[in-house]
Amino acid sequence: MKKNIFKLSSKQLKEIATALQSKIEKGLLEDNTELKCIPTYISPKTSAVKGKALVLDLGGTNYRTAVVDFTSGTPVIHPDNGFKKDLSIMKKDGFTQEQLFKEQADPINEMKVDEELPIGYCFSYPANSLLNGDAELINWTKGVNIKEMIGKPVGEGLLNYLNGQNKVKFSSIKVINDTVASLFAGLSDSSYDAYIGLIVGTGTNMAAFMNPENIKKLNPNYKGTGLIPVNLESGNFHPPHLTAIDDKVDACSDSKGRQRFEKAVSGMYLGEILKSVFPCDEVEEKFDAQKLTSIMGYPDIHKKKYVNVSRWIYERSAKLVASSLVGLLLVMLSHDPSIKRVCLTAEGSLFWSEDRKGKNYKEIVLDELQNLLAKFGYSDVKVDINQMDNANLIGSAIAALS
């Protein structure tokens, strides 16, 4: 491939941002839209967080458990960085809810928790927040499909399973999305006008706080006050200016027609895009973003055509993320024009990946983000990208203790 079909002009990136803006606005008004814009009925404490919580973090392929202790005011995590476990077995055909609960319970048992604690559950799949702090699974993504769990509360079943297995009972469970967890973690610095949570790893998504008066579909029984955390489920955005290669990747996926933005951006799919560009070449079956960046970083040992296309795919992903952030910021600024400083807490291995021979992913995102904001007339709005160790664990503990 000699021509870079993945290159996007500033005009196209602006069109992608405004398309996302309109779909966010629609998602805030009504249910069953392209962007679900799910309100989370948990008001996080921004100060005076006290106590301990057991935290569970279920991502695309990895699972972590930890106890987060706020007794001294600042979070202390036991063990450091959490107890980690590979749960890619979730993607196996026929994998059941009972098997998932057992896999999740085993590390908790090994940690030997000996006191009653609330649970904060970071659940990285689309789920509707319930008024009691639980969440109801809408559908699976990232290659997982445990059908009997769809439409049911995520936390209740797991809490009952854990309490049936252990002498020490857990008092409650609150379920939040990983982007909402990142959003909550960012609140540890109160000097900003607005906050965004972003995930760009196996999958991709965004979350932000919205004024309740701009969310017409709020549950009428909700009695909380203040801004509402909203999980956009932005991976399902279908942006303009995708390519025939993207259509091919979508057609070959197990979720045809859905998660189009995620399939153009996230680590799970970047390798599939490269393989689709060279359908006649022998490329290993499991080919993810980490291997894509390795090709870019070591051009001397890879074919030039692979190096060039890998970089095109990588750069497009970062610029699409920048464009999506601008689309969200356009919504936030239309609701509150006084916003000038924004804290973006970003999680995900792809977002923090490095290109040994060019700009790192984060740098491409930030440069394009500020460039597009200026083109929309918001050059005075500054976005600080915050990398926080264990943001998911800390944000989920804040949810459990709020």
Short mmCIF file of all heavy atoms in Angstrom, two decimals, residues 320-342:
data_model
loop_
_atom_site.label_atom_id
_atom_site.label_comp_id
_atom_site.label_asym_id
_atom_site.label_seq_id
_atom_site.Cartn_x
_atom_site.Cartn_y
_atom_site.Cartn_z
N LEU A 320 -8.01 9.95 16.09
CA LEU A 320 -9.43 9.69 16.32
C LEU A 320 -9.79 9.89 17.80
O LEU A 320 -10.85 10.42 18.12
CB LEU A 320 -9.79 8.27 15.88
CG LEU A 320 -9.96 8.03 14.38
CD1 LEU A 320 -10.08 6.54 14.08
CD2 LEU A 320 -11.17 8.79 13.84
N VAL A 321 -8.91 9.46 18.70
CA VAL A 321 -9.14 9.67 20.12
C VAL A 321 -9.17 11.16 20.44
O VAL A 321 -10.04 11.65 21.17
CB VAL A 321 -8.06 8.95 20.97
CG1 VAL A 321 -8.10 9.41 22.42
CG2 VAL A 321 -8.25 7.45 20.89
N ALA A 322 -8.23 11.92 19.86
CA ALA A 322 -8.22 13.38 20.06
C ALA A 322 -9.52 14.01 19.58
O ALA A 322 -10.12 14.85 20.26
CB ALA A 322 -7.02 13.99 19.32
N SER A 323 -9.97 13.57 18.41
CA SER A 323 -11.20 14.11 17.84
C SER A 323 -12.41 13.77 18.73
O SER A 323 -13.30 14.61 18.94
CB SER A 323 -11.41 13.53 16.44
OG SER A 323 -12.59 14.01 15.85
N SER A 324 -12.43 12.57 19.28
CA SER A 324 -13.54 12.18 20.15
C SER A 324 -13.54 12.99 21.44
O SER A 324 -14.60 13.39 21.95
CB SER A 324 -13.49 10.68 20.45
OG SER A 324 -12.41 10.35 21.31
N LEU A 325 -12.36 13.27 21.97
CA LEU A 325 -12.27 14.10 23.17
C LEU A 325 -12.79 15.51 22.90
O LEU A 325 -13.48 16.10 23.73
CB LEU A 325 -10.82 14.16 23.66
CG LEU A 325 -10.28 12.89 24.32
CD1 LEU A 325 -8.77 12.92 24.43
CD2 LEU A 325 -10.92 12.70 25.71
N VAL A 326 -12.46 16.03 21.73
CA VAL A 326 -12.97 17.36 21.36
C VAL A 326 -14.48 17.33 21.23
O VAL A 326 -15.18 18.26 21.66
CB VAL A 326 -12.30 17.85 20.06
CG1 VAL A 326 -12.97 19.12 19.55
CG2 VAL A 326 -10.81 18.11 20.30
N GLY A 327 -15.03 16.26 20.66
CA GLY A 327 -16.49 16.14 20.57
C GLY A 327 -17.14 16.20 21.94
O GLY A 327 -18.16 16.87 22.14
N LEU A 328 -16.55 15.48 22.90
CA LEU A 328 -17.06 15.52 24.28
C LEU A 328 -16.90 16.90 24.89
O LEU A 328 -17.81 17.42 25.54
CB LEU A 328 -16.33 14.48 25.13
CG LEU A 328 -16.60 14.49 26.64
CD1 LEU A 328 -18.09 14.36 26.95
CD2 LEU A 328 -15.82 13.37 27.33
N LEU A 329 -15.76 17.54 24.67
CA LEU A 329 -15.52 18.88 25.21
C LEU A 329 -16.49 19.90 24.63
O LEU A 329 -16.92 20.83 25.33
CB LEU A 329 -14.07 19.31 24.95
CG LEU A 329 -13.03 18.64 25.85
CD1 LEU A 329 -11.62 18.84 25.30
CD2 LEU A 329 -13.12 19.20 27.27
N LEU A 330 -16.86 19.74 23.37
CA LEU A 330 -17.85 20.65 22.78
C LEU A 330 -19.18 20.57 23.51
O LEU A 330 -19.85 21.58 23.71
CB LEU A 330 -18.03 20.32 21.28
CG LEU A 330 -16.85 20.62 20.36
CD1 LEU A 330 -17.15 20.13 18.95
CD2 LEU A 330 -16.51 22.10 20.35
N VAL A 331 -19.55 19.37 23.91
CA VAL A 331 -20.78 19.20 24.70
C VAL A 331 -20.62 19.88 26.05
O VAL A 331 -21.48 20.66 26.49
CB VAL A 331 -21.10 17.70 24.90
CG1 VAL A 331 -22.30 17.54 25.84
CG2 VAL A 331 -21.40 17.04 23.57
N MET A 332 -19.52 19.61 26.73
CA MET A 332 -19.29 20.15 28.08
C MET A 332 -19.21 21.68 28.06
O MET A 332 -19.77 22.35 28.93
CB MET A 332 -18.00 19.55 28.66
CG MET A 332 -18.09 18.04 28.87
SD MET A 332 -16.49 17.25 29.18
CE MET A 332 -16.11 17.90 30.80
N LEU A 333 -18.57 22.23 27.02
CA LEU A 333 -18.44 23.69 26.92
C LEU A 333 -19.77 24.35 26.56
O LEU A 333 -20.04 25.49 26.98
CB LEU A 333 -17.37 24.04 25.88
CG LEU A 333 -15.93 23.76 26.33
CD1 LEU A 333 -14.99 23.68 25.13
CD2 LEU A 333 -15.46 24.83 27.30
N SER A 334 -20.62 23.64 25.81
CA SER A 334 -21.94 24.21 25.50
C SER A 334 -22.81 24.26 26.75
O SER A 334 -23.66 25.13 26.89
CB SER A 334 -22.63 23.39 24.41
OG SER A 334 -23.03 22.11 24.89
N HIS A 335 -22.56 23.31 27.68
CA HIS A 335 -23.31 23.29 28.94
C HIS A 335 -22.73 24.29 29.95
O HIS A 335 -23.46 24.85 30.76
CB HIS A 335 -23.27 21.89 29.57
CG HIS A 335 -23.97 20.86 28.75
ND1 HIS A 335 -23.92 19.51 29.05
CD2 HIS A 335 -24.76 20.95 27.65
CE1 HIS A 335 -24.63 18.83 28.16
NE2 HIS A 335 -25.15 19.68 27.30
N ASP A 336 -21.41 24.50 29.90
CA ASP A 336 -20.74 25.37 30.86
C ASP A 336 -19.58 26.09 30.19
O ASP A 336 -18.44 25.61 30.18
CB ASP A 336 -20.24 24.55 32.05
CG ASP A 336 -19.57 25.42 33.12
OD1 ASP A 336 -19.54 26.65 32.95
OD2 ASP A 336 -19.09 24.86 34.12
N PRO A 337 -19.84 27.26 29.62
CA PRO A 337 -18.80 28.00 28.89
C PRO A 337 -17.64 28.49 29.78
O PRO A 337 -16.62 28.94 29.25
CB PRO A 337 -19.57 29.20 28.30
CG PRO A 337 -21.00 28.81 28.33
CD PRO A 337 -21.16 27.93 29.51
N SER A 338 -17.79 28.41 31.10
CA SER A 338 -16.73 28.89 31.99
C SER A 338 -15.56 27.90 32.12
O SER A 338 -14.53 28.23 32.70
CB SER A 338 -17.30 29.18 33.39
OG SER A 338 -17.66 27.96 34.05
N ILE A 339 -15.71 26.71 31.56
CA ILE A 339 -14.65 25.69 31.66
C ILE A 339 -13.39 26.16 30.92
O ILE A 339 -13.45 26.50 29.73
CB ILE A 339 -15.12 24.35 31.09
CG1 ILE A 339 -16.23 23.74 31.96
CG2 ILE A 339 -13.96 23.37 30.95
CD1 ILE A 339 -16.88 22.50 31.37
N LYS A 340 -12.27 26.18 31.62
CA LYS A 340 -11.00 26.56 31.01
C LYS A 340 -9.91 25.50 31.22
O LYS A 340 -9.04 25.32 30.37
CB LYS A 340 -10.49 27.89 31.57
CG LYS A 340 -11.42 29.08 31.32
CD LYS A 340 -11.62 29.32 29.84
CE LYS A 340 -12.61 30.47 29.60
NZ LYS A 340 -13.02 30.56 28.18
N ARG A 341 -9.93 24.82 32.36
CA ARG A 341 -8.92 23.80 32.68
C ARG A 341 -9.61 22.46 32.89
O ARG A 341 -10.53 22.33 33.70
CB ARG A 341 -8.12 24.18 33.93
CG ARG A 341 -7.27 25.43 33.77
CD ARG A 341 -6.39 25.65 35.00
NE ARG A 341 -5.38 24.58 35.14
CZ ARG A 341 -5.22 23.85 36.23
NH1 ARG A 341 -6.00 24.00 37.28
NH2 ARG A 341 -4.27 22.92 36.29
N VAL A 342 -9.13 21.47 32.15
CA VAL A 342 -9.76 20.15 32.17
C VAL A 342 -8.72 19.10 32.57
O VAL A 342 -7.61 19.08 32.02
CB VAL A 342 -10.35 19.79 30.79
CG1 VAL A 342 -11.02 18.41 30.84
CG2 VAL A 342 -11.33 20.86 30.33
#
